[in-house]
Amino acid sequence: MTMDLTQASADELGKLYRKGKASPVETMKAVLARAERLAPAINALCHVDTRSALAAARASEKRWKKGEPLSPLDGVPVSVKELVRVKGWPASMGSKLTDKAPADADAPAVARLREAGALVFAQSTSSEYGHKGVTDSPLHGITRNPWNTAMTPGGSSGGAGAAVAAGLGPIAIGTDGGGSVRIPASFSGLIGLKATFGRVPAWPPSMTGDLSNTGPMARTALDAALMMNAIARPDPRDGYALPPDDTDYTRKLTRLPKRLKIGFALRFGDHPLDIEVAAMVTRAARDFEALGCTVEEVEPPFSVAEASRAFVIHWLSALQRLLQVFPEARHGEFDPNLLAGAKAGLRYSLQDVVNAQVTRRDLTLAWNLFFTQYDLLLTPTVAVQPFEAGTNLPPGPDGKPNFMWSPYTPQFNLTRHPAATVPCGVSRQGLPVGLQIASAHYKDALVMRAAAAFAEAHPLKFPVLPEN
Amino acid sequence: MTADLAMMPAHELVKLFKTRKASPVEATKAALARIDAFNGQLNAFQHLDPDTAMRQARASEKRWKKGGKRLSDIDGVPITIKDMVLTKGMPTRMGSLATDPDGPFNVDAPVAQRLREAGTVLLGKTTSPEYGWKGVTDSKLYGATHNPWKIGRTPGGSSGGGTAAEAVGMGNLAIGTDGAGSVRIPCSFSGIFGLKPTQARVPLWPVSAQGTLSHIGPMTRTVRDAAMMMNVIARPDPRDPYGRPDDAEDYLKGFDKGVKGLRIAYSPTLGFVERDKIDRDVAVAVEQAVKVFKTLGARIVEDSPDFMGMDPRKVLNAHWQSNVALLLNNFSPEKRELMDPGLVKAAEYGANLGQEAVVSAIHQRQTISAIMNQFMAKYDLLLTPTMPMTAFAVNENAAWGGDGVDIGWTPFTLTFNLTRQPAATIPCGLDREGMPIGLQIVSGHAKDALVLRAAAAYERVRPIPAPPMAHQI
């Protein structure tokens, strides 16, 4: 074995398998070994199923030997965020309070990946019930960023982000209710997609309802596209799934359509913005001109403050259900941040909640009309660089906690528009910065093509953490 | 001849336009003559504009003349639109004294715009209870609308003006809206066909107070006419925040393929409606209709979804009551005085629902949708009664003497507003008093064309009769 299989992309692995230059068993063993050695440093995987991973790898190896792989992802190790059900594993949700009995069915995305032959080998960490944009939980402790282990990988799919960046499987499944795929993908230097709501079927219904999306996280756009080809397939369990459309997300992936009109919004209202993030994202937006696009600076078409308030009301009023689901005597075992949020959610009136729904519809309408004028929107993915692991909020310019560090992502959970993040470089302190790309509903493939075209022109070199 | 044009299915009417055996002007005159004859008794319109209609008819007539270019397959067909839908140049009052009679009325909702672009002739706006709040049609603004099958009975609601008009030829096509059954209830009670399409398949704007419960759909005397309307109105519009992908569906494709071999579930109770609440004549007529599907070659299985103790009625009540609570916040106390006391009462109920109750209802709605999706994965279609009863007296807010705050008397329809599935109603008989009974036909999401195809197969062997009144001209 000449190359480090843990650093290969899914697409590269498939090619190696096809040529017989590597096997799924070799890859799986390498990833499992690396996962074990890196566990203390990054704490990205909370459950590793060595036995079934190796059994799946052996079955995959047989298929490749017969020349009958199930898909280009056959034999590719994939981790699954602990908020997403995997048959036989606990649906722990990062919580001490949840039932740890093995789940009796795979969530749709997991079922599709298995059908594609992918090796579902581990569960990745999340903040408790995915309630915050960083990754630490009462159940599993703090997850760290492979780019700098003092820092958070973001969240709530931070385990997924850290795992992929560290070479623990080239692809991962995350979920995104307010940015939980895009924030950790940005903080870990990955490509991540929150597709149009309903494009990737999900089950069971999420606590946060139609804010929540299952999405791919990968080192390359091609890998994310290969994942979309599998996980966007229909599943009857999702009452909100879109009609299947058989899109091949790898088609013309790195070639952008001619003369796209792009809006670039550096700020989403009045919030602190890291100076390096601002500079890198502005440069990235300009670089789209080199790709043949027209780029115009734009303002968000709707009050971001009002939208953010509507988001918080949606979010916290959903969290308050946990106070009813679990007995009061055990509420002390919640992450204090989750408990405070759920209690705050209880204080909203019915009018607040219904008003927030109305604001959400008006916001969506405003962005829909925006996207009749512009093919794509570019923004920073996050307004700050990765910050200290174990803290909930980064410090603001005034030294006080900055609550407005992720103003760009939740908008598109409210509006259900597709939004991806693609890395646009590394800051002076060696931390990745992400560019968010959004479009009109159902143009997920266009968002992926824009991310792929940009990534091809701006490749990122991942750090290889020492294994000890 | 002119009287026949008004009752003629739109798809036959346009054939006459094409061969110049009839013209849009004649068709419009025929519809207006029926309005003169019947509207005094039925009270189906909140606004009529014969002059504009005639102008539109003359413009269409030119397009149908030799060498003209028609705008659509329904160019020149007289239509009506419910008062809940914005129409340029005609007042939209939402059935309410509290709305501004002076407008401005300067913009079309997507469905009105599509129908205008298609060259149809808009006769007027049909009545609705205030903000479509109940399943019958009366309001302080216009009084009660009556059922063409029996004066003194409600046509159902909230799109009851549209169904009363459509049933007797006051327009060849009608548009209704459906937040808990408001297309299907009046179509069932008034004896015509109606489709609540998959949510957002017909774009909706401005955003409804009822959010994703709200749907827009065709109400017609033949199934083919509804399919032709869908080909015009089910086109994307960026103003709908929930707009679906543009699928360029042709609702007439495969329309005549019948139901042979289709897997159809028959659920007389939908798994939660108490049998003693379902009128005996309704139960029998629906069962007979199911047998017709069997003779047409469908594979029928009696089966019901298991909602695991959740009650769709309660889930819908929490949604709509809390939504109207918010809606009424937009009105001053003086304006509220002008409103339907039943609506005000529903808003008070809604305002007193706890936030937890509503958030929990939202979550239950998702679970109910997931259960229905899994149920529909086993079947092509589902058949149920549309309503547990037939049309009752006017000026009641609900069946069974209810106050209308509890919308649970229409359990079969409201379930599919929660789940956003397509659901149609087609007449399947008359009860002991001669009032129409409806059969509901439901499919999985986005299979609206399949629902139309099944309804058409049934209609071929059980054509939809017109009410006796329609012949009294």
Side-chain angles (χ1 to χ4, degrees), chain A residues 346-360:
Chain A
L346 214 44
R347 287 196 291 272
Y348 289 119
S349 71
L350 171 63
Q351 276 73 20
D352 291 332
V353 171
V354 180
N355 256 322
Q357 292 172 359
V358 172
T359 300
R360 181 180 184 187

Side-chain angles (χ1 to χ4, degrees), chain A residues 302-337:
Chain A
F302 191 88
S303 158
V304 177
E306 208 182 315
S308 300
R309 186 174 142 71
F311 179 80
V312 170
I313 294 172
H314 272 87
W315 196 255
L316 300 184
S317 64
L319 289 187
Q320 58 82 17
R321 289 188 76 245
L322 292 175
L323 301 179
Q324 287 144 69
V325 172
F326 296 108
E328 201 174 346
R330 297 197 62 191
H331 289 180
E333 296 170 58
F334 279 127
D335 180 332
N337 192 62

Side-chain angles (χ1 to χ4, degrees), chain A residues 377-433:
Chain A
L377 171 77
L378 303 178
T379 75
T381 304
V382 191
V384 299
Q385 296 185 40
F387 50 91
E388 191 187 338
T391 59
N392 289 331
L393 298 167
D398 54 2
K400 293 180 185 154
N402 170 11
F403 287 89
M404 291 293 290
W405 62 278
S406 187
Y408 304 102
T409 52
Q411 293 267 328
F412 302 113
N413 296 82
L414 287 172
T415 67
R416 303 154 33 258
H417 290 112
T421 181
V422 59
C424 60
V426 176
S427 71
R428 271 173 312 195
Q429 34 169 344
L431 294 168
V433 169

Side-chain angles (χ1 to χ4, degrees), chain A residues 7-89:
Chain A
Q7 302 300 313
S9 72
D11 173 62
E12 287 164 351
L13 287 175
K15 285 180 178 141
L16 292 172
Y17 299 161
R18 188 175 305 277
K19 291 181 195 150
K21 291 192 174 164
S23 88
V25 174
E26 286 170 333
T27 307
M28 195 66 259
K29 281 182 175 164
V31 167
L32 288 168
R34 185 163 170 78
E36 197 176 333
R37 288 195 291 270
L38 287 188
I42 60 170
N43 186 32
L45 303 176
C46 51
H47 181 84
V48 179
D49 191 340
T50 306
R51 233 177 63 173
S52 75
L54 288 173
R58 284 189 292 271
S60 170
E61 188 165 282
K62 275 188 196 147
R63 291 192 292 270
W64 280 106
K65 272 192 179 146
K66 280 201 280 181
E68 293 168 359
L70 296 170
S71 84
L73 293 179
D74 201 336
V76 173
V78 58
S79 64
V80 178
K81 185 183 185 182
E82 63 177 313
L83 302 189
V84 178
R85 294 221 178 145
V86 178
K87 191 177 175 180
W89 297 356

Side-chain angles (χ1 to χ4, degrees), chain B residues 20 25 53 87 107 168 190 199 205 239 260 277 362 434 443 470:
Chain B
R20 280 178 288 153
V25 170
T87 42
V107 61
V168 295
S190 305
Q199 190 252 328
W205 175 88
R239 289 173 290 178
K260 197 171 174 194
K277 288 211 168 124
I362 292 169
S443 76

